[in-house]
Amino acid sequence: MAQLLQHLINGIAAGTIYALVALGYTMVYGVLKLINFAHGDVMMVGVYMGYSTAFLLGRQAQSTPWGVLVIFLVAMGGCALMGFLIERFAYRPLRDKPRLTALITAIGISFALSYGFQLDIGFLPGSAPRAFPQIIKPAQWFTVGDPEFPDVVLWNWQVISLMLAVGLMVGLQYLVYRTRFGRAMRAVSFDHRVAALMGIPTDRVISLTFMIGSALAAGAGLLYAIKDTSVSPLMGLYVGLKAFVAAVIGGIGNVPGAMVGGLLLGLVEEFVVGYAASTWRDAVAFGFLILVLLVRPGGLFGRVAAEKV
């Protein structure tokens, strides 16, 4: 029973990180019907921004509450700016082009970031993995069993990840369905040309959506780096792909669906690692995706759009 409880805790903790990245996929797809495959690599850039900020703050300042706040703000603000630039100069000129053109562009940006950051020139970090500093020192907030060798451990970063993910999901739901900006987002999602004719600043709405999604990716990346400590330029490809799977499982374009999909994927992977073999984790994760789509083609919370013929 204790082992099952520990796997539940670990799976939820991993799922919250997938969920945070999946929220960015969902927001962009909900507005533009575009799969932004560069989203995971934007997360990777945010991690390196946080790494550089922590290095500049120094070992003592980086682990203080104000230091942690500065690291998160710099990384999330930098990625928000990056999301704006990507949308403005890469996606906006292709908005009225076939969707395949924008999709190929997204893949190109992803490769440019992930492989460009492996160059060891100038400010680029190079391909060697780096150890992310302990800006949040691990602490056991809850244990079951022997205090020295507990059967169940709940770490502080796990609670922080879950609280942050739930809070952001609730905030995004409120933003989308209870604010003027949210109404504008839904109008642009329905038809950006008609929305523009109605006086809605579509360019501004789409840019802000990219900025919010990119900032979420940076926050999720920092939580991932705090958990796994090792960071590399290719980490965005792996985490981004898993988050995309989570978004599709939940129903891409649906905010609660992204949250549920991330948590389910994290739990499935944790149970596979705990009760089977770690080498099966990725195969079972994609098998779970196929199973969900066979039962619910639009995802758990999504709907399949009818196509006009």
Side-chain angles (χ1 to χ4, degrees):
M1 186 63 186
Q3 187 180 15
L4 175 63
L5 182 58
Q6 185 64 67
H7 286 314
L8 281 172
I9 292 172
N10 294 342
I12 291 173
T16 54
I17 296 174
Y18 293 150
L20 284 174
V21 184
L23 286 172
Y25 275 114
T26 287
M27 290 186 66
V28 171
Y29 183 84
V31 171
L32 277 182
K33 299 297 183 287
L34 167 70
I35 304 296
N36 182 20
F37 280 114
H39 191 63
D41 299 283
V42 172
M43 182 206 80
M44 175 270 297
V45 174
V47 172
Y48 275 105
M49 287 181 179
Y51 176 90
S52 301
T53 305
F55 178 78
L56 292 174
L57 288 175
R59 183 167 297 180
Q60 292 184 345
Q62 68 189 16
S63 58
T64 63
W66 286 109
V68 173
L69 181 62
V70 168
I71 291 170
F72 270 82
L73 288 178
V74 169
M76 295 176 76
C79 281
L81 177 60
M82 187 176 188
F84 169 78
L85 294 175
I86 290 174
E87 190 280 326
R88 176 63 184 84
F89 296 105
Y91 295 144
R92 189 178 298 181
L94 305 176
R95 194 172 295 166
D96 295 321
K97 303 295 182 182
R99 290 183 183 177
L100 183 60
T101 306
L103 181 64
I104 294 172
T105 302
I107 295 173
I109 295 171
S110 173
F111 284 172
L113 290 175
S114 58
Y115 290 100
F117 264 63
Q118 295 188 57
L119 300 175
D120 194 6
I121 55 174
F123 64 90
L124 298 175
S127 59
R130 303 193 181 196
F132 196 82
Q134 283 190 347
I135 60 174
I136 299 178
K137 295 182 179 179
Q140 297 178 359
W141 279 9
F142 178 77
T143 60
V144 175
D146 186 353
E148 293 187 3
F149 302 99
D151 297 321
V152 179
V153 179
L154 180 64
W155 296 92
N156 56 342
W157 66 266
Q158 293 174 328
V159 177
I160 293 170
S161 296
L162 180 60
M163 292 175 61
L164 184 61
V166 173
L168 287 172
M169 188 203 73
V170 173
L172 285 176
Q173 276 290 96
Y174 180 83
L175 177 70
V176 172
Y177 293 103
R178 294 289 186 271
T179 64
R180 292 182 61 188
F181 178 71
R183 288 194 294 271
M185 284 179 61
R186 284 180 283 143
V188 172
S189 174
F190 185 79
D191 192 319
H192 68 88
R193 297 180 184 87
V194 175
L197 292 174
M198 298 296 292
I200 295 174
T202 55
D203 290 342
R204 190 184 309 167
V205 169
I206 293 172
S207 293
L208 284 174
T209 302
F210 267 84
M211 293 174 71
I212 294 171
S214 299
L216 291 177
L222 291 176
L223 292 173
Y224 181 85
I226 291 169
K227 176 177 75 77
D228 281 8
T229 68
S230 178
V231 297
S232 68
L234 293 179
M235 65 181 291
L237 288 174
Y238 179 79
V239 180
L241 184 59
K242 289 297 186 67
F244 172 67
V245 169
V248 174
I249 289 173
I252 192 162
N254 186 286
V255 173
M259 184 74 182
V260 173
L263 293 177
L264 284 177
L265 184 61
L267 287 170
V268 168
E269 289 189 347
E270 178 62 27
F271 284 132
V272 169
V273 171
Y275 294 106
S278 60
T279 54
W280 295 3
R281 179 177 60 182
D282 295 339
V284 173
F286 285 99
F288 179 60
L289 168 65
I290 294 171
L291 179 62
V292 170
L293 294 181
L294 286 174
V295 179
R296 296 275 301 175
L300 296 176
F301 292 86
R303 288 180 291 181
V304 179
E307 184 177 350
K308 295 181 180 180
V309 294

